[in-house]
């Protein structure tokens, strides 16, 4: 993961050095360049597309992780060579939605006709102020809690996913369960408090850092404050392995069973599989405390200066149709954004062998049903990171829990100037 | 350098030159030979450099508006606790890496210069091995050595009953990890610099000192160190400039690969903050302002370099 930072930096440099590639045109319609990020297996989707359209050439580049890909795209848009098609993570999207002039309005290619296929609240996040449609959603997160059945059994906790879900109707009950586990085994219960508790809880409100008028309310929204306090409570309960998500130690701890549960949106399943392949069959998935929520999701967009916007649009239309997303779900597990397939037996019947045959086709769509969507703004990522850092500081670095909230708010003010 | 304006030089009156004037092409040739450097420098050095100063005066969104705001980025920077934190971290990491590095190099150079050392070339060359190792590989290995739960170092500490230390999460600890990496990577290079300088000291100086009864430590103090003084100053300055620009190591040991290098920015250096502002938050103007500040610091160090080295000359 870390090496990719360097790879991305090199790409940024080359992108920055190459002169502008001229205004977009129709292109030959037979080839296009596609920037994606790593870890979500876009290769599989491209392979599927090639089977359908053998005469089209797709040049896929995995730039780096999602954030690095957004950075590469920014530099490219600022004056480098742009791809014809780019995958943007939901959290990075608002910055681009604020500057829609950099992208093709997908309505000009026919996005209006297919707009209704997608979850309203997911689609609305990629619509700019003037009504321009910037991107088509490829997947949503949905939420679940992944847990180790063998470790739960050793701690005397139930192991079947129904009973486990009942252990934690809410986050306080979840933390209590963690205390029981840790008392019994002497081992930490979850990977960390910041992402596995705060980040999940804060995403379960009807408003987060912005209100419906897009005004900042991160410091006054009681929901954010209570989610933050849950995070601090979990950090102080002594139930966490103090491993930051995606850090070196996190992977090692996962492989060695140093924690028994972690929050797992649908795309996390792949991370667990590839990080700890020898734990196959020892995992299962239960409902998240509070039942509903979403973490993550991505969009496909076409930069304004793309040379082959038509070929890129054909890819979007083919692969992101309800049928296309359903097929991709069956092979990769990424949850579709097209609710019309949520009742399809291919989806509802999908089980995940690595996770004790957990019915992911039911768990993840269910977690989206009670969802109250909120507005994600241009500073949401920065605000979220500062909150996460404040909790991590209490958890891993003996930070003062009493001042953590004020510190976080002050840091956010410094960072975004508001 | 316009070709039309260059006059054919008048030959000196006496003594008569063998050739009447040099053809224009030959007179321009030297400029053509050195041109590639200056052209490349102008494109990749001078232009970005001046452009940074320009961008620092703007609220510059790379994919949106560029609003002129004068020196606001600089006043904001001076009020920004994160900037001072990054400055402190940078200086601390530089100090922790330079001092042991130079001492280690000094000692090693002295030993490698020893007359009776067998396989001297082998040892001299082997100190360069860390230098040719990729910095990314170094960082990954060190991050694993210093890991709280799975690191070799904490395992050793555990054997003698010491509680595991969370190096990367603490301010001082993370600086030590980064400094250790820098030291390990650069001490061989510095050693060879010192050694090269020591080779210029005549052997008989050491020998006569030994005959006069000077012990190893006395020879080291009274011969080796004075002989190395100019090189020591040089390495202090170059490592300071390098230390001010340290980027890769803190980024790679950062928990979770974040640009803040930890929850309380405990190991975020100036270049890392510059990168965070420019490419993490897309505030190119503010990032450029930090770049300008960094440039001024390097200039200050270079000025100290100049003063010190001219004093050394005066001493001699």
């Amino acid at each position: 993961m870390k090496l990719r930072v360097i790879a991305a930096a090199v790409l940024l440099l080359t992108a920055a050095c190459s002169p502008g590639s001229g205004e977009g045109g129709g292109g030959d319609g037979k080839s296009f360049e596609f920037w994606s990020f790593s870890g979500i297996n876009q290769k599989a989707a491209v392979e599927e597309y090639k089977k359908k359209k053998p005469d089209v050439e797709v040049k896929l580049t995995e730039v780096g992780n999602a954030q690095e890909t957004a950075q590469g795209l920014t530099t490219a848009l600022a004056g480098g060579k742009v791809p014809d098609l780019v995958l943007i993570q939901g959290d990075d999207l608002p910055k681009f939605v604020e500057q829609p002039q950099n992208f093709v309005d997908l309505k000009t290619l026919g996005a209006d006709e297919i707009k209704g296929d997608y979850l309203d609240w997911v689609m609305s996040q990629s619509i700019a102020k003037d009504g321009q449609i910037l991107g088509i959603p490829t997947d949503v997160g949905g939420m679940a809690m992944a847990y180790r059945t063998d470790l739960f059994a050793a701690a005397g906790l139930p192991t079947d996913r129904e009973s486990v879900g009942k252990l934690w109707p809410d986050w306080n009950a979840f933390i209590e369960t963690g205390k029981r586990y840790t008392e019994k085994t002497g081992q930490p219960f979850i990977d960390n408090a910041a992402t596995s508790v705060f980040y999940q809880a804060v995403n379960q409100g009807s408003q987060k850092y912005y209100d419906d008028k897009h005004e900042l309310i991160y410091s006054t929204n009681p929901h954010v404050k209570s989610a933050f306090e849950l995070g601090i409570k979990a950090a102080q309960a002594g139930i966490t392995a103090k491993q930051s998500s995606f850090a070196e130690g996190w992977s090692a701890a996962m492989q060695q069973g140093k924690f028994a549960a972690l929050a797992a949106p649908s795309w996390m399943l792949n991370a667990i599989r590839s990080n700890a392949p020898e734990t196959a069959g020892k995992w299962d998935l239960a409902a998240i405390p509070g039942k509903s929520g979403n973490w993550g999701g991505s969009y496909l967009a076409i930069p304004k200066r793309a040379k082959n916007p038509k070929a890129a649009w054909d890819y979007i239309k083919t692969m992101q149709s309800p049928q296309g997303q359903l097929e991709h779900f069956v092979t990769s597990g990424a949850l579709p954004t097209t609710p019309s397939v949520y009742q399809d037996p291919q989806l509802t019947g999908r089980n995940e062998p690595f996770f004790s045959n957990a019915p992911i086709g039911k768990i993840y769509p269910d977690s989206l049903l009670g969802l109250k969507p909120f507005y994600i703004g241009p500073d949401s990522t920065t605000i979220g990171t500062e909150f996460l850092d404040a909790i991590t500081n209490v958890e891993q670095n003996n930070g003062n829990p009493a001042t953590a909230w004020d510190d976080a708010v002050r840091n956010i003010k410094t960072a975004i100037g508001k | 350098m316009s070709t039309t304006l260059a006059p054919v030089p008048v030959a000196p009156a006496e003594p008569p030159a063998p050739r009447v004037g040099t053809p224009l092409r030959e007179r321009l040739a030297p400029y053509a030979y050195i041109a590639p450097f200056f052209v490349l420098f102008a494109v990749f050095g001078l232009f970005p450099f001046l452009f940074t100063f320009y961008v620092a005066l703007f609220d510059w969104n790379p994919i949106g508006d560029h609003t002129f705001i004068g020196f606001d980025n600089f006043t904001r920077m001076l009020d920004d606790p994160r900037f001072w934190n990054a400055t402190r971290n940078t200086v601390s990491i530089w100090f922790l890496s330079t001092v042991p590095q130079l001492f280690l190099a000094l000692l090693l150079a002295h030993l490698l210069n020893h007359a009776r050392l067998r396989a001297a070339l082998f040892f001299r060359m082997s100190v360069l091995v860390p230098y040719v190792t990729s910095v990314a590989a170094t960082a990954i290995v060190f991050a694993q050595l210093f890991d709280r739960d799975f690191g070799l170092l904490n395992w050793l500490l555990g054997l003698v009953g010491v509680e595991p230390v969370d190096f990367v999460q603490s301010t001082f600890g993370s600086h030590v990890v980064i400094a250790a990496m820098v030291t390990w990577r650069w001490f061989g290079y510095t050693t060879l610099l010192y050694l090269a300088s020591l080779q210029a000291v005549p052997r008989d100086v050491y020998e006569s000192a030994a005959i006069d009864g000077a012990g190893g430590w006395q020879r080291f103090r009274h011969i080796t160190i004075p002989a190395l003084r100019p090189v020591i100053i040089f390495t202090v300055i170059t490592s300071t400039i390098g230390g001010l620009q340290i980027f890769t190591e803190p980024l790679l040991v950062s928990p979770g690969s974040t640009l803040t290098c930890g929850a309380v920015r405990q190991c975020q250096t100036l270049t890392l903050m510059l990168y965070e502002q420019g490419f993490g938050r897309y505030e190119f103007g503010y990032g450029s302002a930090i770049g300008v500040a960094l440039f001024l610091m390097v200039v200050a160090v270079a000025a100290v370099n100049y003063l010190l080295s001219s004093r050394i000359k005066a001493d001699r």
Side-chain angles (χ1 to χ4, degrees), chain B residues 104-174:
Chain B
L104 196 63
L106 207 56
L107 202 68
L108 262 177
H110 181 69
L111 294 177
L112 286 174
N113 194 38
H114 203 283
R116 280 173 301 177
L117 186 70
R118 280 175 186 274
L121 193 67
F122 168 77
F123 287 112
R124 285 170 192 173
M125 285 302 112
S126 55
V127 295
L128 256 193
V129 169
Y131 179 64
V132 296
T133 309
S134 132
V135 59
T138 310
I140 289 166
V141 170
F142 271 74
Q144 284 173 358
L145 282 179
F146 284 91
D147 190 89
R148 182 193 58 208
D149 297 335
F150 309 102
L152 181 70
L153 212 71
N154 273 322
W155 178 72
L156 289 174
L157 287 176
L159 288 183
V160 292
V162 180
E163 284 288 299
V165 183
D166 197 347
F167 288 98
V168 182
Q169 283 299 342
S170 73
T171 306
F172 183 68
S174 62

Side-chain angles (χ1 to χ4, degrees), chain A residues 137-406:
Chain A
T138 61
D139 66 296
V140 280
M143 278 187 196
M145 192 62 78
Y147 67 96
R148 287 278 297 265
T149 49
D150 54 336
L151 300 179
F152 267 48
L157 292 168
T159 56
D160 69 293
R161 59 187 80 92
E162 286 296 317
S163 319
V164 168
K166 284 192 186 113
L167 285 176
W168 48 63
D170 58 31
W171 285 103
N172 280 311
F174 179 77
I175 295 170
E176 290 308 314
T177 310
K179 283 186 188 161
R180 269 171 67 194
Y181 176 89
T182 302
E183 265 166 37
K184 198 78 174 239
T185 60
Q187 289 285 325
F189 180 58
I190 47 171
D191 52 346
N192 65 69
T195 48
S196 274
V197 176
F198 164 73
Y199 212 68
Q200 311 306 309
V202 79
N203 277 323
Q204 292 176 322
S206 54
Q207 289 183 336
K208 200 159 87 173
Y209 307 136
Y210 294 82
D211 66 11
D212 302 336
K213 296 187 194 83
H214 302 186
E215 300 288 332
L216 280 165
I217 52 162
Y218 64 89
S219 61
T220 53
N221 184 352
H223 173 70
V224 173
K225 180 94 191 259
S226 66
F228 186 85
E229 277 162 2
L230 279 171
I232 295 287
K233 192 176 164 191
Q236 289 186 286
I239 59 168
T240 79
K242 303 183 179 183
Q243 296 291 358
S244 301
S245 298
F246 307 108
E248 304 273 339
W250 182 76
S251 311
M254 189 188 292
Q255 287 166 41
Q256 303 187 10
K258 295 284 179 192
F259 52 81
L262 79 159
S266 58
W267 48 264
M268 183 71 95
L269 304 185
N270 207 20
I272 298 174
R273 265 195 302 257
S274 53
N275 251 324
E278 62 276 24
T279 59
K282 293 179 178 165
W283 293 90
D284 205 333
L285 296 165
I288 193 103
K291 302 287 180 237
S292 64
N294 175 47
W295 177 14
S298 306
Y299 296 79
L300 281 169
I302 302 176
K304 191 82 155 221
R305 286 188 285 118
K307 279 186 185 149
N308 289 295
K310 292 216 174 72
W313 175 250
D314 187 67
Y315 178 85
I316 296 179
K317 220 176 148 189
T318 312
M319 298 309 293
Q320 306 313 328
S321 68
Q323 192 54 35
Q325 290 208 7
L326 180 63
E327 284 167 23
H328 189 57
F329 171 79
V330 172
T331 53
S332 79
L335 188 64
T337 51
T338 48
S340 65
V341 300
Y342 285 180
Q343 301 304 322
D344 191 293
Q346 267 186 290
L347 186 134
T348 54
R350 172 85 150 79
N351 296 334
E352 188 56 64
F354 192 94
F355 294 84
S356 311
N357 286 317
I360 59 168
K362 285 189 79 66
I363 293 173
Y364 288 111
D366 280 357
S367 76
L368 292 176
L369 294 180
L371 190 75
K372 291 156 275 176
F374 47 77
Y375 170 72
I376 298 174
D379 288 316
S380 286
T381 310
T382 307
I383 297 169
T385 307
E386 293 293 349
F387 279 132
L388 288 176
D389 280 350
I391 294 169
T392 304
N393 184 35
V394 171
E395 180 187 358
Q396 301 189 19
N397 204 13
N398 303 321
N400 183 355
T403 62
W405 171 262
D406 292 334

